[in-house]
Amino acid sequence: MATLGQHLPVLEYLQRQVNGSLADGDSTHMRYPTAISTLLKFRIVSVAEADAVIELDADAAIHGNQQGTVHGGMLCELADAAIGTAHSTLVHEGESFTSIDLKASFLRPVWQSRLRAHAWATHRGRTISHYRCEIRREDDKVVASIESAVMTLRNERAFGR
């Protein structure tokens, strides 16, 4: 007999996904995996309340710019995914969220490396929360530092988002 699964809070759903205990039919009110994360082959490797780590095997041959390094936009997308995953752990049923700004500082180039984006809340407000994300190469050197503000949407503002 097939199990129907459980409807879980986002944090519990993602933690089960990471540790491999997510059952068939388990669900949450947010969409995971996200379409963009699937397309870009991002992997959630760690998640806690207002904290997330996402990895990408970056390669300038696939994710490159005209200079032959991994595109800064790819680093921003990786950071935005980590920040969004971290914030989604705070979002309840009937709520949604949107980024309202993102500031990136690029520190080192990347040609080919497993990148690890770690995002965490620096301020958790009722409506506006602030996050920081560091992206590190395999040699543990920081390649980008990103800050972002995220707005939690409620009621009619959350509908369809």
Side-chain angles (χ1 to χ4, degrees):
M1 179 176 212
T3 60
L4 296 176
Q6 299 178 58
H7 189 73
L8 304 166
V10 172
L11 178 57
E12 185 177 351
Y13 179 90
L14 292 175
Q15 287 174 330
R16 287 184 185 193
Q17 179 182 329
V18 168
N19 70 28
S21 65
L22 197 62
D24 285 343
D26 283 351
S27 63
T28 190
H29 69 280
M30 310 243 45
R31 293 184 181 117
Y32 280 102
T34 65
I36 192 72
S37 292
T38 300
L39 176 70
L40 298 175
K41 300 182 181 170
F42 293 168
R43 297 176 304 279
I44 300 171
V45 296
S46 172
V47 66
E49 188 173 292
D51 189 287
V53 177
I54 294 183
E55 284 185 344
L56 166 67
D57 292 323
D59 185 342
I62 301 167
H63 310 111
N65 58 27
Q66 58 272 49
Q67 291 85 23
T69 60
V70 172
H71 196 285
M74 177 59 75
L75 300 177
C76 286
E77 180 56 41
L78 179 60
D80 191 55
I83 291 164
T85 301
H87 192 69
S88 73
T89 67
L90 305 176
V91 175
H92 302 291
E93 195 96 28
E95 296 178 340
S96 187
F97 63 94
T98 188
S99 298
I100 57 175
D101 77 2
L102 186 129
K103 179 187 178 227
S105 297
F106 303 111
L107 308 172
R108 290 182 174 78
V110 175
W111 291 274
Q112 187 173 33
S113 182
R114 176 164 291 166
L115 298 179
R116 184 171 276 226
H118 179 199
W120 65 94
T122 58
H123 168 79
R124 289 169 50 176
R126 182 178 186 285
T127 302
I128 305 293
S129 296
H130 295 265
Y131 286 84
R132 182 173 170 138
C133 181
E134 286 187 346
I135 301 176
R136 294 179 180 268
R137 297 187 307 208
E138 286 173 294
D139 63 6
D140 206 36
K141 291 187 177 181
V142 178
V143 299
S145 178
I146 292 89
E147 295 180 4
S148 182
V150 178
M151 180 188 305
T152 300
L153 305 168
R154 293 177 181 85
N155 304 318
E156 67 278 350
R157 291 184 177 168
F159 181 74
R161 304 269 298 189

